[in-house]
Structures are given as structure tokens and as C-alpha cells.
Amino acid sequence: MEQEIKEIINKCDLAIKQEDFDTLMKYYTNDAILVVKPGMIARGKEEIKKAFIAISKYFNNSLVPTQGEMIILEAGDTALVISQTLLDTDKNESEFSMDRRATYVFKKNKKGDWLCAIDNSYGTELIKSRN
Amino acid sequence: MEQEIKEIINKCDLAIKQEDFDTLMKYYTNDAILVVKPGMIARGKEEIKKAFIAISKYFNNSLVPTQGEMIILEAGDTALVISQTLLDTDKNESEFSMDRRATYVFKKNKKGDWLCAIDNSYGTELIKSRN
């Protein structure tokens, strides 16, 4: 399970780098959500794809995500991934952190494939208290 | 959904305070996991109940959890809760933070009840990089 989910995340990172958003969408559930930025949610594959197109443009079409340390907490058909997500880009970014502690929720479907249901690269930074 | 999950978390906090672990276990899925501490996982209701008994004892049977700021990210039958979890106790605790940014994953079962599948009060602190 752990290796399978890591491979999917690697494939997603590659698809984002290559701006191949149709491939990327294969790894999301139909009712998946993406936290575009704090307070802004994309819901469903169509909105998520549009959000990734906008995100790529925002980063001058040079966005390369990679993962550092990762912990996968699995409970049956559900897994919480806690990952150091590193964003590399040509853009001189200051508004958002490029070294994040992300939280991703994956679900196993009936065919046995793990798909991303909740994509929140901001992790617990969404709440402002402390740190 | 949001209010329902908040009420369940409140009931769980009360059950922990009252050390009523049979009631507490009603709010977990059968294959739920609890991160007891970094690197230690309790799996299934029996192990989770034993872990809570040990945690309560560790805190001199005086543990009172409450939640501060909370964000619930819902995708169909799955929800990621990001919550400021405050732990109050008579014990003079220094090893673990008593003001946490927790991550909880809830799933809706066939009866429509939301149950906790992944209970990780340590949030993204489980990975050590940065901060």
C-alpha cells in the first residue's frame, strides 16, 4: 500500500511538471477536493483541473513539485499522507511557502486503486493559531 | 456535515474527560488507527481503547481535551478535520505539546454516521523537517 501510494504521488508530481492535467486527474476521485489556497477550494475533477492550469500559469509554467520526508497512516481503505512537499519554480515566490507539510487523503476504490480524495498541500497551516 | 462532525468530536472529548472509553469507541471505525505518539500506532477498537486507558493514566487521570480553531475539508463520504487540540491536565507535561494542530480523518458509513478512521493529534509534526 505504502509503495503504491508513493508511486501515485510521484506520477502526480511528474504530471504537474509536464502540465499533463488529464493524466493527473486519473489519480483523483470524482468528488475530490483541492485546497487551491487557504479559503479557496476546487471541488470535482473539472474544477481541480482548471485550478491546476491556473496554478501552473501563476508559477510561470515552471512548477516542479517533489516530496521529501513522508509518513502514510493507513486505516483499511483510507490513508492519510503527511508529506514534506517542495515546490520549485522560476518564479520569485513570496506569498506562499515553497516548503510545505502537506496532508493528502487517499481512498481505495472497488478495483483496488488508491485515489486522492483530499489534496491539501497547506497541511495544518490552514489554522492560524500557534507557530 | 460540519456541525455533525464537530458534535461528534465534542462527544469524544467529553468521553475522554469522563474516561468512558466504551462510549468513545462508538465514534471509531472498526479498522481505525490512533497515533499514540510519533512512531506508535494503535489499530482497531481494542488497541485504541487500551491506548486511551494508558494515556489517561499517564496524565494522572486528569486529561481534558478541547478544540480551538477547526477546519473541515469534506469530499463526499470522507472528511479531513484540521483542529487546534488543547490538552489540559494536572500533570506537569513537557515531553509532548499540549497545544496541537491535529489531523483527523472521518468517514461516513452506510447508515450515514460519521466515524473517525484516523486519529492523529500530532498533525504534520510527525515529520521532522522544517519548523
Side-chain angles (χ1 to χ4, degrees):
Chain A
M1 178 279 307
E2 188 153 326
Q3 197 50 41
E4 205 179 328
I5 290 179
K6 281 185 180 177
E7 278 171 21
I8 291 166
I9 293 173
N10 285 341
K11 284 178 188 170
C12 289
D13 285 345
L14 184 65
I16 292 168
K17 181 185 172 186
Q18 297 177 336
E19 301 188 28
D20 179 0
F21 302 117
D22 288 321
T23 295
L24 182 62
M25 285 311 106
K26 290 180 186 167
Y27 301 109
Y28 285 82
T29 62
N30 287 331
D31 53 10
I33 61 169
L34 165 73
V35 181
V36 181
K37 58 184 179 181
M40 188 190 284
I41 305 276
R43 190 173 291 277
K45 292 188 185 208
E46 201 178 330
E47 280 186 26
I48 293 174
K49 186 180 165 180
K50 278 186 191 166
F52 270 113
I53 291 169
I55 290 166
S56 289
K57 196 175 171 191
Y58 174 83
F59 286 115
N60 300 336
N61 301 91
S62 68
L63 186 62
V64 181
T66 55
Q67 313 296 318
E69 193 180 353
M70 190 184 287
I71 284 179
I72 300 179
L73 301 170
E74 174 260 328
D77 61 0
T78 307
L80 173 61
V81 179
I82 293 172
S83 186
Q84 183 190 23
T85 296
L86 302 157
L87 301 177
D88 190 29
T89 171
D90 291 347
K91 186 182 167 84
N92 192 359
E93 173 62 27
S94 57
E95 192 178 356
F96 301 108
S97 172
M98 304 300 273
D99 180 354
R100 302 180 183 181
R101 291 181 179 192
T103 49
Y104 307 121
V105 178
F106 278 76
K107 283 168 61 180
K108 193 159 66 176
N109 68 12
K110 283 174 186 165
K111 290 200 298 180
D113 299 322
W114 287 94
L115 298 173
C116 184
I118 301 171
D119 182 342
N120 170 31
S121 69
Y122 299 91
T124 57
E125 299 287 316
L126 291 184
I127 52 175
K128 291 166 194 73
S129 335
R130 204 168 70 86
N131 287 356
Chain B
M1 178 279 309
E2 189 153 326
Q3 196 51 38
E4 204 179 328
I5 290 178
K6 282 187 178 177
E7 277 170 23
I8 290 166
I9 293 173
N10 284 342
K11 284 178 188 170
C12 288
D13 285 345
L14 183 65
I16 292 168
K17 180 186 173 187
Q18 296 177 334
E19 301 188 29
D20 179 0
F21 302 117
D22 288 322
T23 295
L24 182 63
M25 285 310 106
K26 290 179 186 168
Y27 301 109
Y28 285 82
T29 63
N30 287 329
D31 53 11
I33 61 169
L34 165 74
V35 181
V36 181
K37 57 184 181 182
M40 186 190 286
I41 304 276
R43 191 173 290 277
K45 293 190 185 208
E46 200 177 331
E47 280 186 27
I48 292 174
K49 186 179 165 181
K50 279 185 192 167
F52 271 112
I53 291 168
I55 289 165
S56 290
K57 195 175 169 189
Y58 174 82
F59 286 115
N60 299 337
N61 301 92
S62 67
L63 186 63
V64 180
T66 54
Q67 313 295 318
E69 194 179 351
M70 189 184 289
I71 284 179
I72 300 178
L73 302 169
E74 174 259 328
D77 62 358
T78 307
L80 173 61
V81 179
I82 293 172
S83 186
Q84 183 190 25
T85 296
L86 302 156
L87 301 176
D88 189 30
T89 170
D90 291 347
K91 188 181 164 86
N92 192 356
E93 175 61 29
S94 58
E95 191 177 356
F96 301 108
S97 170
M98 304 300 274
D99 180 354
R100 303 180 182 180
R101 291 181 180 192
T103 50
Y104 309 120
V105 179
F106 278 76
K107 284 169 59 180
K108 192 158 66 176
N109 68 12
K110 283 174 187 167
K111 290 199 297 176
D113 299 321
W114 288 93
L115 298 174
C116 183
I118 301 171
D119 182 342
N120 169 32
S121 68
Y122 299 91
T124 58
E125 299 287 316
L126 290 183
I127 54 175
K128 289 167 197 74
S129 334
R130 202 167 71 89
N131 287 357

